[in-house]
Amino acid sequence: MRYYARKFAFYLVALWAALTLNFFIPRLMPGNPVDILMAKLAQRGGTVDPSARRAYELLLGTNSGESLFQQYLSYLGNMFRGELGISVSAFPAPVSQIISEALPWTLMLVGIATFLSFAFGIVLGTFVGWRRGTWLDSLVPATTVLAAVPYFWLALILVALLSSAWGWFPLQGGYDVILTPGWNADFIGSAIYYGTLPALTIVISSVGGWLLGMRNMMVSATAEDYVLTAKAKGLRDSRIMIRYAARNAVLPSVAGFAISLGFVVAGSIITEQVFSYPGIGSKLLQAVQNNDYALMQGIFLVITVAVLGANLVVDLLYAVIDPRTRVSG
């Protein structure tokens, strides 16, 4: 229990530190959300009197007249209530609404692609490491070359071949625009069809890293005494590979997978930009381009909570998989 209590305490402190940084960083950045909004209104030919400007300042939380400490306390209260402010780039939409609309797209696309790349990489790395020195070793340079290729270049190549030249997949978007979003077969089928090529790009570019890491750990695990003892007992090769070698070799990859799962929420900005996919990555890019500090702050907060949450879950599972981690000292 002390192990789990320490873990929870550590992640609570990390969450508080992340919230604090998320409060101060936007206030140290140049620019004012109200000035940006006023400039947009001026471009549309509108005029704003001082009283309206004051209303916008109160709405966006700038120049409220409170001390910095009072603003900090209000900010913490708003965060725990899920009130992330108003977006300037999509005014007057709340930040929470924008994130809730974009996040499911990213979770489905990047989440499934990350899981598939991890599963393929671990399975292939297990077999390659177990049968090192055979033709299977040729998979390592082939996949690592793909992982080393610039991601945007790989995405553009796949778009040029599979979409423009052969017409197997659509060029851009998350679903057929003639359909109404909802939980029906037509819309779900269209979302899967439109998301296949972006997901394929993520899998191809990331499977090599998982394969190489698992292969190297398998090589180390097969030289351990417990594997040699299992072979001396005459156990089946498949049982030794899975129950003895792979079970121990996969532990470092599980920790890496936790970090990858956390960053799934961040989306893949390049993927969503190349394919015009309606995910959280494209919203983050939109926020940066428009100096939308409230939206950036909300997205960074969601990413931070996701990373901490994923690491906490894996830390707790890690203690179940490998009880040695619970031993102090």
Side-chain angles (χ1 to χ4, degrees), residues 20 25 48 56 85 130 149 226 268 271 289 294 325:
T20 302
I25 289 177
V48 180
Y56 283 126
W130 183 253
V149 169
Y226 54 83
S268 180
T271 301
Q289 291 174 338
T325 59

Side-chain angles (χ1 to χ4, degrees), residues 93-125:
V95 170
S96 56
Q97 176 185 335
I98 297 174
I99 294 177
S100 63
E101 291 174 353
L103 192 57
W105 291 96
T106 293
L107 291 177
M108 293 300 294
L109 171 66
V110 187
I112 293 175
T114 300
F115 177 79
L116 290 176
S117 64
F118 174 77
F120 289 150
I122 294 301
V123 172
L124 292 175

Side-chain angles (χ1 to χ4, degrees), residues 122-244:
I122 294 301
V123 172
L124 292 175
T126 299
F127 283 102
V128 172
W130 183 253
R131 299 187 179 276
R132 64 186 183 279
T134 65
W135 66 271
L136 289 173
D137 270 338
S138 61
L139 291 175
V140 176
T143 55
T144 51
V145 165
L146 290 174
V149 169
Y151 185 81
F152 68 91
W153 185 82
L154 177 62
L156 292 174
I157 290 296
L158 291 179
V159 168
L161 290 177
L162 301 183
S163 295
S164 298
W166 299 338
W168 292 355
F169 298 101
L171 280 170
Q172 58 184 6
Y175 60 94
D176 194 336
V177 294
I178 66 173
L179 299 175
T180 302
W183 293 103
N184 55 76
D186 291 337
F187 177 75
I188 294 175
S190 176
I192 293 174
Y193 176 54
Y194 275 72
T196 299
L197 187 57
L200 181 63
T201 307
I202 297 173
V203 171
I204 291 175
S205 65
S206 57
V207 70
W210 297 116
L211 189 155
L212 181 61
M214 186 62 183
R215 186 260 182 196
N216 293 339
M217 292 304 301
M218 279 292 293
V219 171
S220 299
T222 52
E224 295 291 341
D225 292 339
Y226 54 83
V227 174
L228 298 177
T229 303
K231 289 181 178 179
K233 289 181 178 180
L235 299 179
R236 297 192 309 273
D237 282 353
S238 59
R239 182 179 181 184
I240 298 173
M241 180 181 68
I242 297 173
R243 296 289 301 275
Y244 290 84

Side-chain angles (χ1 to χ4, degrees), residues 11-82:
Y11 282 103
L12 283 176
V13 173
L15 177 60
W16 169 79
L19 288 172
T20 302
L21 288 174
N22 205 28
F23 170 78
F24 283 104
I25 289 177
R27 285 160 175 78
L28 298 175
M29 297 177 68
N32 187 317
V34 176
D35 292 336
I36 297 170
L37 186 58
M38 296 300 100
K40 287 187 175 185
L41 293 175
Q43 290 175 356
R44 299 172 185 173
T47 58
V48 180
D49 57 35
S51 60
R53 178 184 175 87
R54 179 58 180 166
Y56 283 126
E57 289 177 344
L58 294 175
L59 178 64
L60 299 178
T62 63
N63 194 21
S64 60
E66 296 180 333
S67 66
L68 190 62
F69 181 70
Q70 290 175 325
Q71 294 179 35
Y72 178 65
L73 294 179
S74 300
Y75 158 80
L76 291 178
N78 291 335
M79 292 299 104
F80 286 113
R81 289 194 298 270

